[in-house]
Amino acid sequence: MEETTNSTTSDKGLIVNLNVMIEGEPTSIIPAEKTPEGVYFLSNLDGGPFMIHTIYCFNKSFDRELDAAQAIREGLAKVLVHYYPLAGRVEMNEKNRFIINCTGEGALFAEAKADCTLEEISDFMKPDSVSLAKLVYDINGLQNPPLLVAQVTKFKCGGFCLGLSMDHIVFDGIGATEFMNSWGEVTRGLPISNPPFLDRTLLKARVPPNVKFSHAFEQISDMSNTMALLEEETLVNKSFVFRMEKLGELKKKAMEDEVLIKCTTFETLAAFMWRAQTKSLTLHPDQQVRLLFTVDARSKLHPPLPKGYFGNAAMLMSCQSSAREITDNPLSSTIQKIQEKIKMVTDDYIRSGIDFFEEQHERKPLTYTILLNAWSRLSFHSVNFGWGGPIYSGPLHVPKNMVLFLPHGKERKDINLFLGLPASAMKIFEELIDI
């Protein structure tokens, strides 16, 4: 098993004290043309404001003389014409619901220089790196913040990094991917191949709401005193690369008992990770544990959402079980639990969920819950501003209790599993997944 650790100490080739200097004051980038004003509706699947930080690193090609920062800045002004809600600001309406006020104030754009080359940084595959945090402009404390903040950092080698903060209330992973590709297209002088569909009222709650399913995530009681362990021990972040061959072996192993007819790579690795993490925490056998993951609702609705739907369209699904059920039963059993939840995502279920959140606004933090985010299925690697695709693209931070599946390798068929665990649990986890 190939392992990469996340550390702020002096790893091989890692620049711990990466110096990044912001050049001048950040500027507001407004749409290049006049755009609609007023209230922009947000659906119940859009949730609330939450900034996602990502970076895209490029080896600048000498066949294009245009300055990268200038090109990307001008492209941003052009793409905001099509994605004009991004130039607005989040507000609360009279019903205490989030909306976007399309003010046209624009996005924030900063330019910076780094004191090294891209090759000198070896921690791209290690989210939460202290070094990489300097590649995204910090807007902490800024009142009424923009929905998109961009920073272009130039390196000594001629390469550059685009660091972004984007509000998750605007779009999910698929929507963000489509926006980034559109931004790249207009920057290169091309028409947008997949224009955004902006009408989110397609996911409006019914009147009156009709909740047919249970969508509430109840708090899980702590039978194992693991909360104390999390507070006492150092949280260790590590990533583990699962090669395509390894993933194939896992799927083969999962189907050995002939319980499953078929299983996907996502289902198999999610179940494998969940079982290993549950075992590593040495929980009470009756301790309830939960796995949350998203299922894209675009094609599940009747009719399906239009191509280019601009917004959040993912259902958060919950698998819950006792530690005993997860650890004592074969891998196929855990995969079945995940498959059953995926099958539940139908038009009826999605509409019921939207109606549920019409009445239930509060979404509390959950105990004994893993939130799995599968970036491995998103095509951020296809972003092209004129210098080819990024040599690396991915998240900057990983929230506590989140597990990431990141694409890995030139063909992006390998998966880099990233997670954080208490030190004692991480040691067990490493042993369990090394098969």
Side-chain angles (χ1 to χ4, degrees):
M1 174 64 59
E2 181 179 340
E3 172 190 331
T4 59
T5 61
N6 180 36
S7 173
T8 56
T9 57
S10 183
D11 294 334
K12 181 181 179 181
L14 169 63
I15 293 181
V16 181
N17 296 313
L18 168 66
N19 292 316
V20 175
M21 181 177 293
I22 301 296
E23 298 184 306
E25 291 293 323
T27 57
S28 292
I29 307 299
I30 64 173
E33 301 173 16
K34 180 70 174 177
T35 54
E37 299 176 351
V39 172
Y40 180 70
F41 171 80
L42 297 174
S43 85
N44 291 335
L45 296 187
D46 290 315
F50 178 69
M51 298 303 281
I52 301 293
H53 310 291
T54 54
I55 56 174
Y56 304 81
C57 297
F58 299 86
N59 278 326
K60 187 175 178 182
S61 173
F62 52 79
D63 63 356
R64 194 168 181 209
E65 296 182 358
L66 184 61
D67 178 72
Q70 179 185 343
I72 292 171
R73 182 175 60 247
E74 293 174 356
L76 179 56
K78 294 175 183 177
V79 80
L80 285 178
V81 174
H82 304 274
Y83 292 84
Y84 67 86
L86 261 176
R89 298 294 184 268
V90 172
E91 295 181 3
M92 299 285 283
N93 65 10
E94 65 281 358
K95 296 182 179 179
N96 205 34
R97 306 301 296 272
F98 289 113
I99 56 94
I100 292 178
N101 186 3
C102 296
T103 60
E105 293 176 71
L108 194 65
F109 190 89
E111 295 185 42
K113 279 187 177 179
D115 64 350
C116 63
T117 67
L118 281 171
E119 293 178 351
E120 291 178 274
I121 302 177
S122 67
D123 56 351
F124 286 132
M125 297 306 289
K126 304 166 190 173
D128 288 327
S129 157
V130 173
S131 300
L132 301 187
K134 300 174 184 178
L135 300 175
V136 176
Y137 190 77
D138 186 4
I139 59 168
N140 284 336
L142 188 65
Q143 291 187 338
N144 196 24
L147 299 174
L148 186 151
V149 180
Q151 175 181 317
V152 172
T153 303
K154 301 171 188 176
F155 287 78
K156 286 184 175 180
C157 57
F160 66 93
C161 176
L162 173 62
L164 292 178
S165 290
M166 294 195 292
D167 201 323
H168 205 309
I169 203 171
V170 180
F171 34 41
D172 56 17
I174 292 175
T177 302
E178 292 173 349
F179 166 72
M180 292 300 297
N181 285 320
S182 295
W183 187 356
E185 287 173 337
V186 299
T187 300
R188 284 158 32 226
L190 302 174
I192 293 178
S193 59
N194 186 20
F197 183 88
L198 297 176
D199 184 6
R200 300 194 189 195
T201 60
L202 295 181
L203 296 182
K204 199 170 186 177
R206 295 170 289 196
V207 181
N210 183 11
V211 181
K212 296 182 179 180
F213 301 88
S214 174
H215 301 277
F217 300 150
E218 300 298 332
Q219 291 291 354
I220 295 175
S221 59
D222 183 8
M223 300 178 62
S224 307
N225 200 31
T226 306
M227 296 302 105
L229 177 66
L230 292 171
E231 293 177 2
E232 293 170 4
E233 288 199 28
T234 302
L235 186 71
V236 177
N237 292 320
K238 288 194 176 184
S239 59
F240 304 88
V241 175
F242 286 77
R243 301 291 181 187
M244 187 170 54
E245 297 77 16
K246 167 79 169 181
L247 294 169
E249 291 173 10
L250 275 179
K251 290 170 71 172
K252 184 178 179 181
K253 181 178 180 181
M255 299 182 69
E256 283 179 350
D257 56 9
E258 299 183 347
V259 170
L260 302 171
I261 298 175
K262 61 180 180 178
C263 56
T264 66
T265 297
F266 168 78
E267 294 162 354
T268 305
L269 188 55
F272 184 65
M273 175 278 303
W274 192 21
R275 294 177 81 238
Q277 182 162 344
T278 301
K279 289 180 179 179
S280 71
L281 291 169
T282 58
L283 303 173
H284 187 286
D286 295 325
Q287 175 67 59
Q288 289 290 303
V289 290
R290 180 192 287 122
L291 174 69
L292 295 180
F293 59 92
T294 57
V295 177
D296 180 32
R298 287 166 173 78
S299 63
K300 309 289 185 179
L301 289 158
H302 298 299
L305 288 177
K307 185 180 179 182
Y309 177 79
F310 174 63
N312 288 272
M315 292 298 296
L316 190 61
M317 303 303 292
S318 170
C319 275
Q320 186 170 323
S321 183
S322 69
R324 178 187 287 109
E325 288 179 289
I326 297 296
T327 58
D328 290 358
N329 289 318
L331 181 61
S332 58
S333 172
T334 309
I335 292 174
Q336 273 189 320
K337 292 179 184 296
I338 294 172
Q339 290 179 335
E340 288 167 4
K341 291 297 179 179
I342 294 174
K343 289 177 184 177
M344 284 181 64
V345 184
T346 62
D347 180 87
D348 213 19
Y349 184 87
I350 297 164
R351 295 294 176 186
S352 173
I354 293 170
D355 291 353
F356 171 78
F357 286 114
E358 185 72 9
E359 302 173 333
Q360 181 73 32
H361 300 173
E362 191 175 10
R363 308 183 191 194
K364 299 178 181 179
L366 301 169
T367 55
Y368 283 97
T369 299
I370 302 169
L371 176 57
L372 174 58
N373 209 327
W375 283 50
S376 54
R377 299 184 288 185
L378 301 175
S379 56
F380 284 112
H381 61 282
S382 62
V383 176
N384 183 357
F385 291 100
W387 291 274
I391 57 173
Y392 173 77
S393 61
L396 186 65
H397 300 298
V398 181
K400 189 177 180 180
N401 297 329
M402 180 180 284
V403 174
L404 281 178
F405 288 174
L406 302 172
H408 186 83
K410 289 185 178 180
E411 296 184 7
R412 307 184 72 81
K413 292 183 179 180
D414 305 329
I415 295 178
N416 190 4
L417 186 159
F418 182 92
L419 81 165
L421 285 171
S424 60
M426 181 61 79
K427 185 176 181 180
I428 301 171
F429 182 85
E430 292 176 276
E431 295 171 354
L432 290 171
I433 67 168
D434 189 19
I435 63 169

